[in-house]
Amino acid sequence: MKKSTPSLRRQMAWIILLCWLLPMAIAATVVGWYLLSGSGRQKEQAMAEQFQMNLQLGADRVNSAVEASRLPSYDPEFREGWNQYRRDGVYNLLYRRSYALFNRLYQSDSRFLYGVFCFADNPEDRVITVVNGSAGLFHNQVREQWTADSAAVLELAAGLDTTVGFLEREGRVYLVRNMMDSSYRPIGVLALALDPDYFFGDLALLPWASAVSVRLEPEVTLTLKGEAPPQPGGRTLEHTIRSRDYTLRGTAEVDYAALLTGAESYRGCCRPWGCPCCCCCSPSGFSAGGYPSPSRC
């Protein structure tokens, strides 16, 4: 039986076809790699920007809490009550005035779970406690927590002078400051228990992060998402915000599966928690007041 051999015409057709297909396949591969790597870089940049924005929102809220902790110092009735107490030693009047002030300032403030003020002349016994009504805590719970934490709070306050400090105790985070009279003599120590969800909840909701933590230096480290703080390395985003009163460091471990799935729905969204609609931000991403400002949603 005679073997069939490909005709010269067919061989030439295959050679010509390969000469066209091979360069086209190579070009398609290069273009695809370029597009995919460019998209990956864009998503990584968007994640970094979103992380930094959410951390800045947390820092802004911490700043507002620091300012709120200064308010009693400016109250003339509180100062007058303290001066009167130093003259006559009548604590009941001072207690009533002080309790009314702290209750007005902090009982309904969603930033704080509770507030405790200890007078300098007897910090163990002369204590005012105000519990936020929406915090879901009972007064006896707060007393137990304060009994466990008071020594560490007072120790921290002893080294603060007029600055603020932060302390973490079994998940409870305190903003601590000394209150002084006009002659810079101590009146007492104010400790405000922060609500971490209020300050840093947006970071915990980042959809592309497998682990997130923040550090209010030097005392407080909070793991907001995951089992442990992210370790420095190639998959970890880091950002630091410094203010006059504290340094806030944030770390987030990127789940790179998010680069291949739904990260697009969050890229460019002006809301730090993401939103299901398509948001178009102003050029800066923020309004004049410093808050995210969608121009169309």
Side-chain angles (χ1 to χ4, degrees):
M1 214 173 149
K2 212 161 53 159
K3 248 186 199 184
S4 64
T5 57
S7 67
L8 182 61
R9 181 179 296 177
R10 184 178 297 179
Q11 290 178 356
M12 291 297 297
W14 278 108
I15 292 172
I16 293 172
L17 191 61
L18 287 174
C19 288
W20 277 98
L21 285 178
L22 187 59
M24 288 177 63
I26 294 173
T29 301
V30 171
V31 171
W33 173 84
Y34 175 80
L35 291 176
L36 287 175
S37 63
S39 175
R41 284 195 298 270
Q42 288 177 352
K43 290 175 183 177
E44 287 181 336
Q45 181 180 358
M47 289 176 181
E49 290 174 354
Q50 186 182 33
F51 174 62
Q52 293 171 14
M53 182 175 72
N54 285 19
L55 190 67
Q56 184 62 58
L57 286 173
D60 292 341
R61 291 166 181 165
V62 173
N63 288 337
S64 73
V66 171
E67 291 302 315
S69 72
R70 294 190 175 105
L71 295 178
S73 301
Y74 306 139
D75 188 85
E77 289 191 12
F78 179 68
R79 286 182 172 274
E80 175 56 33
W82 173 250
N83 292 332
Q84 181 68 33
Y85 169 71
R86 294 189 65 215
R87 289 193 296 268
D88 58 25
V90 178
Y91 176 66
N92 289 341
L93 179 59
L94 174 64
Y95 178 86
R96 287 196 298 271
R97 284 184 171 180
S98 303
Y99 181 81
L101 171 65
F102 291 117
N103 192 64
R104 173 168 55 83
L105 290 177
Y106 303 124
Q107 186 183 41
S108 301
D109 193 326
S110 60
R111 293 172 290 192
F112 311 115
L113 302 175
Y114 55 89
V116 181
F117 184 76
C118 306
F119 285 99
D121 60 342
N122 192 346
E124 289 79 19
D125 298 326
R126 294 187 172 174
V127 178
I128 295 173
T129 304
V130 175
V131 181
N132 188 317
S134 61
L137 293 170
F138 297 106
H139 278 80
N140 61 336
Q141 291 177 286
V142 173
R143 279 195 298 270
E144 290 174 4
Q145 292 176 3
W146 179 248
T147 299
D149 302 340
S150 58
V153 170
L154 295 175
E155 182 181 356
L156 173 64
L160 289 178
D161 195 28
T162 58
T163 62
V164 299
F166 297 89
L167 180 70
E168 188 271 333
R169 298 282 291 180
E170 298 181 1
R172 299 182 292 275
V173 181
Y174 293 98
L175 188 161
V176 182
R177 76 174 313 120
N178 294 308
M179 292 185 59
M180 309 285 191
D181 63 14
S182 56
S183 301
Y184 288 95
R185 290 173 297 197
I187 299 175
V189 175
L190 175 64
L192 297 171
L194 307 183
D195 180 358
D197 287 340
Y198 172 86
F199 291 92
F200 305 116
D202 294 332
L203 288 165
L205 295 176
L206 289 172
W208 43 261
S210 57
V212 183
S213 71
V214 293
R215 180 173 173 82
L216 277 165
E217 295 191 343
E219 300 288 341
V220 175
T221 299
L222 295 175
T223 300
L224 306 174
K225 189 175 184 180
E227 298 298 323
Q231 297 300 312
R235 292 193 171 193
T236 300
L237 300 176
E238 300 180 66
H239 188 57
T240 300
I241 297 172
R242 291 181 173 86
S243 79
R244 181 184 64 181
D245 298 296
Y246 63 88
T247 297
L248 177 66
R249 299 186 188 275
T251 56
E253 184 174 340
V254 178
D255 179 5
Y256 273 85
L259 292 174
L260 303 176
T261 55
E264 299 94 338
S265 62
Y266 296 92
R267 179 164 55 87
C269 181
C270 57
R271 299 182 183 179
W273 49 86
C275 67
C277 61
C278 177
C279 293
C280 298
C281 297
S282 64
S284 67
F286 291 87
S287 66
Y291 295 97
S293 61
S295 59
R296 185 179 76 249
C297 207

